[in-house]
Amino acid sequence: MIEMIRAHQLNIMLFLCGSCGILIFLLVHTRFISRKRKGILILMELIALFLLWFDRQAYLYAGDPGHTAYVMVRVSNFMVFFLTSAIVFGFDLYLQDLLTQEGKLKETPRRLRIVAIVSAMGMVLAAVAAFTNLYYYFDESNTYHRGRGFLIAYIIPVICPIVQYTVVRQYKKLFSRLIYASLLLYIFVPITCGLIQIKAYGISLVNMSMVAVSISLYLFTYLDINQMMISQHMNEVKQLREERAHMHKVFDQVCQAFTAAAESRDEYRKENGLRCAEYAKKIARKAGKSEEYCAKVYYAALLHEVGKAGVNNSAIEHLEDPERKEEDVIRKIPEIGGQILSCIDEYPFLADAARYCHERYDGKGYPEGLKGDQIPEIARIVTVADAYVTMKTNNQYREKLPDFIAREAFVKGAGEEYDPEYADLMVRILDAGSADNGQEEDQSLEEELTCNDYREHILRGIPIELGETRIEFDCSYVNEENMFSAPALVLFDSYDGRSHDNQKAIEGYQYLEYGELWFDEHCITTAARKIKQTKMTETQPEGHYLILAGRYEDHLRLVMQGPVYSKEVIVALPSVSRSAYIGLTGEHCRLSNIRIYPTGKNYTEEDIERIVKEITYTDHMESDIPNVNIDRPRSAASEGIEIKERLRLAFHTMSLPEASLVWHCPYIVLFSSDDGTVGGPNYHEYDLIKLNGENNGTNDLAQVRFTMKKLDTFPGWEVWKEANKEGLECEISVEKKKNQIHLKTQHLGISMESTTTILDDRERIYLALTGDQVALTDIRIM
């Protein structure tokens, strides 16, 4: 390595001199360094440049007996030894500036002042050595030789940097990592090279290393300044973000305050603006919109009803009155809201949402009767979110509606009242169970219940399912002497799992009561087809009660044990599609320590005596495939039919008597499995098409392109549901081309087409029929 440097050191010196020259030029034009420090760095680079240039000249003229060489070798060697001390002096100035300017030291460390004096003395000593041969001398051929005091020349460039290092080490925390690294390099690289050079005669390792570290000093300074600028920029960005977040928070609070003021006169719709904003944002995200756009949707929905501030209290009180919804004063709310928000010209979408959120997709809305895409997109999203919030809010005319009613409203209103894209997204949010975002009331069951009058309070319904449930509680009496006191239970069905006695709630939640049972021989039968009671001998300790409950198909079995009387109860429900709940209640009693848990037992046909004849809707003609009765969502399915090239399938459908929703109809499922059955081994489901026009859409296994259109023959949803209950003939056409399956069908004025592209490598694809609360018979393959 040494020999290679020796062979090329003149070229290396020339390169380093050129580099110093370039850095001096850059420093002259640099603006991000203080004027004083820039001057010091330029001085250091000039010293380094001339140090190496004169050192190179000394080598070039060495051994030349000419007059020019005589002068050059002497001048050059003098300058080399002089500038060696000068570069230490320049570095000392640099350190002093760093500590006093960046380090904010009030006084320069004493050691640095001593180093400055010593290095100045070294420059004087270099001049003395030039005339006394102390460091070097020359022979007749102008060849350089080390003098007897040569090592003295190394005292300053070795000892002074070590002293400077002690200062750097002491004030390490005042320097950045990059500056600290550059200082260490500047101090120890020349020292190391000096020690090597003592043994390596004829090579200028020290001088070249000092020039190299002088260059590195600039580079590290530049990198440090760059890092500092980046840090300052990040701090500025952080401050801007904090200011923006603060302004956003203020804007958000102002919007919420404005909304609260507009809603303050409507006791039923307080905080509805905030809920509407959350749902609108959720719909926008589901649609794949950017976060910036979602934020716009959020605030547009938050402020969309500020127009209420401009109408009288009477209009607000009757806002949800079906008979007064068309009054002019109510229809002016969107226009007033649009006028109020139009002054915020930086956000025109706020006024658009307020003005047009009562438009209908079919053009039958107000105030301008806009249709389809003429309605601003944000307003179309807000319309869907507001409709959901309205349906989930109590008012003086009805109680809040359950999610399935809201879902049906969006299915029925898609393309008419609502944009079909956003109505479909709202349906998907409901199906995913995320619509209420945790805002539904607490679903936990109470552990205590006190009833004075009979049925004064009824515990939230405990579902009776295939798996047996064990219910235990203690009962104490709160009656006066000779008054009847006893616990009881109510058997019922309700969409919200609660017992209701309010007519609006009974209608809204489709509440149906099967009967009432006591812990004695008494019972009342209402909507149950039949209730059979059998006395049992086993009883419970004083004050303790036990219920075991389970079901199989349309029959319930309850074991009721009390301290005095126990019995087995068999209940025949109106149909297998009905749910059943137990509501604990009583009269002049207090129920406590209520505990509910599964036993792990599943009821079968042998466990429950059938007390009425089974109701079946599939005792009709059976063709190529067995008939199928589906009493709950996809509780059964037909045999799978392999799709080869072309397939036509016809069948008869009839919704069950309990069916009440538009999706209580047949479904078509495309799938693959090892045995060709729905849910079979290695089951993959590609598409699900409901004959009311719904589709599950693209998934991980398939890309689905689905279109639904209501034809002129569509009779309206209520007629459509009734026609399905009476029974209809349906036909499906299917065609398979490689990995694509094209399906067409038409069902009572609803035309559907889908193209399903299979993404996995399954070759055998099957079609099956399923549904919800529907009987499928006479299934024919054509």
Side-chain angles (χ1 to χ4, degrees), residues 43-63:
L43 173 64
M44 293 175 68
E45 295 299 335
L46 282 171
I47 293 172
L49 186 152
F50 286 115
L51 171 65
L52 210 55
W53 187 81
F54 281 114
D55 199 11
R56 187 172 185 274
Q57 297 303 310
Y59 278 99
L60 287 174
Y61 288 100

Side-chain angles (χ1 to χ4, degrees), residues 379-530:
R380 284 179 270 147
I381 295 173
V382 172
T383 297
V384 173
D386 180 61
Y388 178 73
V389 170
T390 300
M391 285 185 271
K392 296 294 289 182
T393 302
N394 293 327
N395 61 50
Q396 63 266 50
Y397 302 100
R398 60 154 178 79
E399 292 194 4
K400 67 179 182 180
L401 303 177
D403 273 349
F404 71 90
I405 295 293
R407 185 189 192 282
E408 184 180 50
F410 290 120
V411 171
K412 292 164 67 174
E416 296 178 2
E417 187 171 357
Y418 313 112
D419 184 319
E421 177 185 357
Y422 299 118
D424 179 64
L425 289 174
M426 191 68 226
V427 168
R428 293 179 188 275
I429 290 170
L430 289 167
D431 289 345
S434 60
D436 285 297
N437 199 24
Q439 297 185 23
E440 281 283 7
E441 57 188 289
D442 185 12
Q443 297 292 317
S444 61
L445 293 167
E446 302 93 329
E447 295 183 0
E448 292 188 0
L449 185 73
T450 300
C451 294
N452 290 311
D453 296 330
Y454 179 56
R455 296 183 62 161
E456 180 181 5
H457 299 291
I458 300 177
L459 192 73
R460 178 189 290 276
I462 304 165
I464 306 176
E465 299 174 328
L466 185 66
E468 185 179 65
T469 299
R470 183 183 182 95
I471 307 167
E472 295 184 66
F473 60 90
D474 298 324
C475 180
S476 57
Y477 303 115
V478 295
N479 64 312
E480 298 178 4
E481 191 176 352
N482 298 325
M483 293 189 66
F484 178 77
S485 300
L489 55 93
V490 179
L491 298 177
F492 66 91
D493 183 17
S494 174
Y495 282 126
D496 67 344
R498 283 190 176 277
S499 174
H500 296 282
D501 55 11
N502 178 280
Q503 188 59 37
K504 289 189 291 185
I506 290 172
E507 294 173 359
Y509 293 101
Q510 299 194 18
Y511 176 76
L512 182 66
E513 193 165 297
Y514 303 131
E516 299 167 82
L517 303 172
W518 285 263
F519 286 83
D520 56 23
E521 69 278 8
H522 293 94
C523 76
I524 295 176
T525 303
T526 47
R529 293 172 65 198
K530 185 177 181 181

Side-chain angles (χ1 to χ4, degrees), residues 6 92 95 138 194 255 304 365 385 394-395 502 511 539 588 605 632 656 663 708 711 714 763 771:
R6 192 192 305 277
D92 199 73
L95 280 178
F138 303 95
C255 290
H304 78 285
N394 293 327
N395 61 50
N502 178 280
Y511 176 76
T539 59
H588 299 119
E605 186 176 3
R632 297 191 179 195
L656 303 184
W663 55 82
M708 184 275 280
L711 306 177
F714 178 68
E763 293 185 1

Side-chain angles (χ1 to χ4, degrees), residues 250-323:
V250 171
F251 178 72
D252 183 71
Q253 291 173 343
V254 169
C255 290
Q256 290 193 39
F258 199 9
T259 302
E263 294 175 343
S264 62
R265 292 182 297 159
D266 187 349
E267 61 177 304
Y268 292 100
R269 292 180 67 87
K270 290 179 180 178
E271 296 189 358
N272 271 18
L274 187 60
R275 294 179 62 209
C276 180
E278 292 290 347
Y279 296 140
K281 188 175 183 179
K282 188 175 292 188
I283 294 169
R285 278 183 177 157
K286 192 83 171 173
K289 303 297 184 182
S290 67
E291 281 303 307
E292 181 181 359
Y293 190 86
C294 290
K296 291 181 178 180
V297 170
Y298 176 89
Y299 287 107
L302 184 63
L303 295 168
H304 78 285
E305 287 197 328
V306 297
K308 288 180 180 179
V311 298
N312 57 52
N313 289 338
S314 175
I316 296 296
E317 290 171 2
H318 298 89
L319 192 62
E320 300 299 329
D321 187 347
E323 297 180 1

Side-chain angles (χ1 to χ4, degrees), residues 211-223:
V211 173
V213 294
S214 294
I215 295 171
S216 72
L217 197 66
Y218 170 79
L219 295 177
F220 275 89
T221 301
Y222 178 82
L223 291 174

Side-chain angles (χ1 to χ4, degrees), residues 668-670 685-689 695-697 699 704 706 754 756:
I668 304 165
V669 58
L670 300 179
E685 184 166 306
Y686 304 112
D687 197 11
L688 180 72
I689 300 169
N695 175 255
N696 276 11
N699 54 67
V704 180
F706 178 79
S754 75
T756 304

